[in-house]
Amino acid sequence: MSTVIIAIDGPSGSGKSSTARAVAQRANWRYLDTGALYRAMTWLALRDGLGDPSALVAQAESEGILFNGDPIEPRIFIGEMDITSEIRSHRVTDQVSIFAAYPEVRAYLLGLQQQFIHDAPHGIVVEGRDIGTVVAPEAPLKIFLYADLQQRALRRERELDEGVTTNAVSQALEERDQLDSTRKISPLRMADDALEIDSTLLDLPEVVDVIWQWAKERSLLGLPKVAIIGRPNVGKSTLVNRIIGRREAIVEDTPGVTRDRVKYEAEWNGRTFVLIDTGGWEVKPEGISEKITAGAELAIAEADIVLFIVDAQVGALDEDSALLALLRRSKKKTILVANKVDGVNEEQNAHGLWNLGLGEPHFVSALHGRGSGDLLDFLVKELPEVGSELPDDGFRRIAIVGRPNVGKSSLLNALAGQSRVLVDDVAGTTRDPVDELIELGGDTWRFIDTAGIRKRAIHDSGTDYYASLRTASALDRAEVAVVVIDASLPLTEQDLRIVTMTEEAGRALVLVMNKWDVVDDERREQLDKELERNLERYPWAQRVNLSAKTGWHRDRLAPALRTALRSWEKRIPTAKLNAFLGALVAATPPPVRGGKQPKIRFATQVTIAPPKFVVFSSEWVEPSYRRFIERRLREEFGFEGTPVEVSIKVREREERPR
């Protein structure tokens, strides 16, 4: 999972814990007090009289150390025993530096800390004395918080409940600083890219505000996500256009025009948020409506707030009530919007929507703008300060997809060089997409391990159903799809469907033939024939033969990813493109149709990622000629590993002025 990390380092008594808790609470993130973990180990050693670090680690592993991560009420446990108060005793404080210096203890707790960070769902604030340098060196915001010795002693004295004097605390802190800064293992020091804050003359809110501003400047605080949900044709996309201030969402009177979840960035009264436009939700969807409904449900799951749109002119139908039941189960904050209220009469008739139990309906006319400002005023007041739309961390995103039990998780573990995700022979072990930063071929990549895509995922129920939705979402946010195929078995319809789905999603494509170590010569020859027969449309896909189990040829994946990404983002200059097209048409003109020779006028590349070209012609052009242009484009400019779209637009001859 992608997690934003704020790392706070500093000497004892500088205010790290209070600051980290306040920042985490404001962001609604998790919090980790690494010092509490060392104090817990010290308390355990003192309780059991364990001077040997190996024995201490073994005892900790046996009983287990748990930190709850709650910034409001942080608590730490040894086994089932709450030791939150005990670890703050003067006895533990005096001894913690000694036990913290043991390499065995530091190695054990480092693993616990990094696992805790990895498991945080959105963001986490971590504080301690080696966070930016050892525990989370990848953190995008590192703070070194300090204060003069006297101020730190006063703060620590207030924390202790044993009646010790300020001088005693000051002396203990000075000794602690000396031990922390001179220990051989992970000494206290400021990370090279850390930002300093002297908290001597600053109160807690002032320190938090400084960190908050830095986080905003670095775009680390996620934007709130608002899902627009409702049954078909209630005006969801019209409302989206009204909110974003431009006609971007497609609007027609026909139900079902919007199919995919589409995200738009919107702003109102200085607050920026993400709108998620969805297709119409149906109780018993059929055909393509099944996927549309599934997409709407996924939007609910990922949103921070839901705008529930009801057609005020027809009132609440049974479908609205069924959707309301789903929203209540999701436990997401829901705002009821009564759309198509064009005047006072419609507003009076719409008061019956109070019966839905969502409070006062917000009456709007998305088409004419009536009431939209009041709705947005209310919405921005309800938005969380930090949302779940996390910023892009800049790493290239690679989704590992395939049918169940082809070795996707094993591949990720092989690339990482260690066990990062659960692997089992039972198909369907992975349920949620798992993000991992992995160093491969000299670069860092964000790999997304996904659940296996089943034959009829849309008809699955429960866990498998939502696992399929999350897999589709992971593919949407990826740049390259690594489609894993079991080379030891014949190609299946599922394999082909997944490759097609990747192309339709517009993602760069790398085919990984896994389990190559158990493929004999006969099977390799047979596999080549299967690929040539079933994947003749995808000769451009990058192919890598490897073994996830043994790691054989895993080093070949990085070059294939780079090639696919270069092609995916390649742009051909217009002049060069048209020089190529002119020579191509001159050598091989388009076929005559209906006695007319189509005249190719010019071409332009409209987008990258993936590359899309529009060719303007005087007449309709045969699809075979369009495919011919695509093939020659690939031969001329090299688009290995990416889908390429070539469309023909008929442009009538412009009339000459008289």
Side-chain angles (χ1 to χ4, degrees):
M1 170 108 26
S2 181
T3 302
V4 178
I5 308 168
I6 295 179
I8 302 179
D9 286 287
S12 181
S14 58
K16 300 187 302 299
S17 296
S18 301
T19 301
R21 289 173 59 184
V23 173
Q25 187 175 351
R26 185 170 177 178
N28 196 28
W29 288 352
R30 295 186 75 176
Y31 158 69
L32 176 59
D33 177 2
T34 61
L37 298 179
Y38 284 102
R39 287 174 172 271
M41 293 290 287
T42 303
W43 179 88
L44 182 62
L46 296 175
R47 185 198 71 176
D48 296 346
L50 299 172
D52 179 58
S54 298
L56 175 58
V57 169
Q59 186 64 25
E61 289 178 333
S62 174
E63 296 194 43
I65 299 178
L66 174 66
F67 187 78
N68 68 353
D70 184 358
I72 300 175
E73 192 175 359
R75 310 204 72 80
I76 190 165
F77 301 82
I78 293 280
E80 297 183 356
M81 183 178 180
D82 187 342
I83 59 170
T84 306
S85 300
E86 284 81 350
I87 65 172
R88 298 296 172 186
S89 69
H90 191 54
R91 182 176 179 226
V92 170
T93 301
D94 285 344
Q95 298 293 315
V96 65
S97 287
I98 299 173
F99 290 96
Y102 292 144
E104 296 90 342
V105 172
R106 301 198 70 82
Y108 168 65
L109 291 183
L110 177 61
L112 285 185
Q113 294 159 13
Q114 292 179 335
Q115 186 61 49
F116 193 89
I117 293 171
H118 176 270
D119 293 340
H122 299 299
I124 187 169
V125 185
V126 190
E127 58 96 353
R129 291 175 182 79
D130 57 356
I131 309 304
T133 54
V134 177
V135 178
E138 74 280 11
L141 178 58
K142 301 172 186 175
I143 308 295
F144 192 84
L145 188 64
Y146 64 94
D148 65 34
L149 185 60
Q150 184 178 4
Q151 183 63 32
R152 290 192 286 132
L154 289 171
R155 293 171 180 172
R156 179 51 52 88
E157 184 183 2
R158 290 193 289 267
E159 295 178 0
L160 301 175
D161 56 0
E162 297 184 4
V164 294
T165 65
T166 303
N167 288 335
V169 175
S170 178
Q171 184 178 354
L173 286 176
E174 194 170 11
E175 293 174 355
R176 179 75 183 272
D177 291 347
Q178 178 66 20
L179 286 171
D180 286 343
S181 59
T182 58
R183 62 173 181 247
K184 294 181 179 181
I185 307 297
S186 302
L188 172 65
R189 68 175 183 85
M190 186 175 71
D192 295 337
D193 54 346
L195 302 175
E196 295 181 77
I197 299 178
D198 184 351
S199 67
T200 304
L201 302 178
L202 300 177
D203 59 21
L204 179 60
E206 289 173 328
V207 175
V208 171
D209 284 342
V210 171
I211 295 175
W212 198 259
Q213 187 59 38
W214 284 339
K216 289 177 66 175
E217 290 174 355
R218 299 191 178 200
S219 301
L220 301 180
L221 304 177
L223 295 176
K225 289 193 284 191
V226 181
I228 309 290
I229 302 296
R231 58 182 178 81
N233 214 33
V234 295
K236 297 183 296 296
S237 295
T238 305
L239 182 61
V240 168
N241 287 336
R242 176 64 58 183
I243 293 174
I244 65 178
R246 58 188 185 276
R247 288 182 59 85
E248 193 160 327
I250 301 173
V251 176
E252 288 185 9
D253 291 334
T254 306
V257 173
T258 302
R259 294 183 174 181
D260 298 310
R261 301 184 325 281
V262 185
K263 293 183 179 181
Y264 305 95
E265 197 166 290
E267 188 269 338
W268 184 258
N269 286 346
R271 289 299 309 274
T272 303
F273 54 95
V274 174
L275 274 180
I276 310 175
D277 189 19
T278 66
W281 185 90
E282 298 182 34
V283 179
K284 296 180 179 179
E286 297 179 353
I288 195 170
S289 295
E290 294 176 333
K291 296 182 179 179
I292 297 173
T293 296
E297 293 177 5
L298 186 59
I300 295 172
E302 66 177 298
D304 297 297
I305 291 183
V306 174
L307 293 184
F308 178 29
I309 317 298
V310 178
D311 188 339
Q313 295 185 0
V314 300
L317 304 181
D318 291 342
E319 289 87 345
D320 294 307
S321 299
L323 178 53
L324 177 59
L326 175 67
L327 290 170
R328 284 178 172 149
R329 289 196 300 270
S330 74
K331 299 181 179 180
K332 295 296 176 70
K333 182 172 182 60
T334 302
I335 299 172
L336 176 60
V337 180
N339 190 30
K340 305 183 183 181
V341 180
D342 299 323
V344 178
N345 292 334
E346 289 89 348
E347 185 171 324
Q348 291 176 346
N349 295 331
H351 276 285
L353 296 175
W354 274 90
N355 295 331
L356 290 173
L358 289 176
E360 182 179 2
H362 294 265
F363 304 116
V364 303
S365 171
L367 183 62
H368 301 110
R370 183 179 186 269
S372 60
D374 293 336
L375 170 63
L376 287 170
D377 287 342
F378 181 82
L379 173 63
V380 296
K381 290 179 182 178
E382 298 297 318
L383 290 175
E385 189 172 9
V386 179
S388 54
E389 182 73 5
L390 293 179
D392 189 356
D393 55 16
F395 296 112
R396 309 312 297 258
R397 300 178 301 278
I398 317 299
I400 304 176
V401 296
R403 57 186 175 85
N405 216 32
V406 294
K408 300 182 296 296
S409 298
S410 296
L411 174 61
L412 188 141
N413 288 337
L415 297 175
Q418 58 182 291
S419 182
R420 296 281 188 92
V421 293
L422 184 64
V423 175
D424 197 276
D425 290 336
V426 178
T429 301
T430 302
R431 297 290 193 184
D432 297 288
V434 178
D435 287 26
E436 287 287 352
L437 290 177
I438 293 176
E439 182 82 19
L440 184 67
D443 292 316
T444 300
W445 312 80
R446 182 169 296 282
F447 282 89
I448 311 166
D449 184 25
T450 66
I453 300 175
R454 301 177 182 273
K455 291 181 180 179
R456 302 285 293 174
I458 204 64
H459 295 306
D460 288 339
S461 60
T463 307
D464 287 336
Y465 170 74
Y466 288 103
S468 174
L469 293 183
R470 289 189 287 270
T471 296
S473 177
L475 185 60
D476 288 342
R477 63 188 177 93
E479 297 169 289
V480 183
V482 173
V483 178
V484 183
I485 295 173
D486 188 341
S488 66
L489 300 175
L491 287 179
T492 67
E493 184 182 347
Q494 284 173 269
D495 294 320
L496 306 181
R497 186 168 63 86
I498 293 167
V499 173
T500 301
M501 183 176 68
T502 299
E503 181 191 34
E504 291 175 347
R507 300 297 175 259
L509 175 61
V510 176
L511 297 177
V512 167
M513 301 298 162
N514 190 27
K515 306 183 184 181
W516 201 256
D517 54 320
V518 297
V519 176
D520 56 23
D521 292 340
E522 183 180 351
R523 174 57 193 153
R524 293 178 185 183
E525 184 178 347
Q526 185 181 358
L527 178 61
D528 288 338
K529 293 179 180 178
E530 291 174 3
L531 293 173
E532 185 179 353
R533 181 173 61 253
N534 298 308
L535 295 179
E536 72 269 9
R537 291 173 49 199
Y538 308 98
W540 45 266
Q542 294 286 284
R543 175 179 165 182
V544 178
N545 304 326
L546 55 75
S547 170
K549 185 177 181 179
T550 66
W552 182 79
H553 277 177
R554 68 177 183 178
D555 58 314
R556 295 187 177 183
L557 184 58
L561 293 173
R562 293 191 187 98
T563 299
L565 281 167
R566 281 196 300 269
S567 299
W568 195 61
E569 296 175 335
K570 181 178 293 186
R571 182 177 291 279
I572 308 301
T574 301
K576 192 173 182 180
L577 176 63
N578 282 285
F580 155 78
L581 186 63
L584 179 66
V585 172
T588 310
V592 177
R593 182 178 175 87
K596 293 184 177 180
Q597 175 73 58
K599 184 178 180 181
I600 304 296
R601 301 187 183 281
F602 67 96
T604 185
Q605 184 175 354
V606 292
T607 65
I608 61 171
K612 295 182 179 181
F613 300 88
V614 176
V615 178
F616 293 88
S617 172
S618 63
E619 307 288 343
W620 188 85
V621 176
E622 296 280 356
S624 59
Y625 195 77
R626 178 188 59 78
R627 292 192 295 270
F628 168 71
I629 295 176
E630 178 188 333
R631 185 171 66 254
R632 291 299 305 273
L633 269 172
R634 291 184 178 277
E635 293 173 359
E636 180 71 18
F637 300 109
F639 286 100
E640 301 91 353
T642 180
V644 173
E645 182 180 321
V646 177
S647 60
I648 306 293
K649 188 172 183 178
V650 177
R651 173 176 286 187
E652 301 291 340
R653 182 179 297 179
E654 298 180 0
E655 294 186 3
R656 295 180 180 178
R658 296 180 178 177

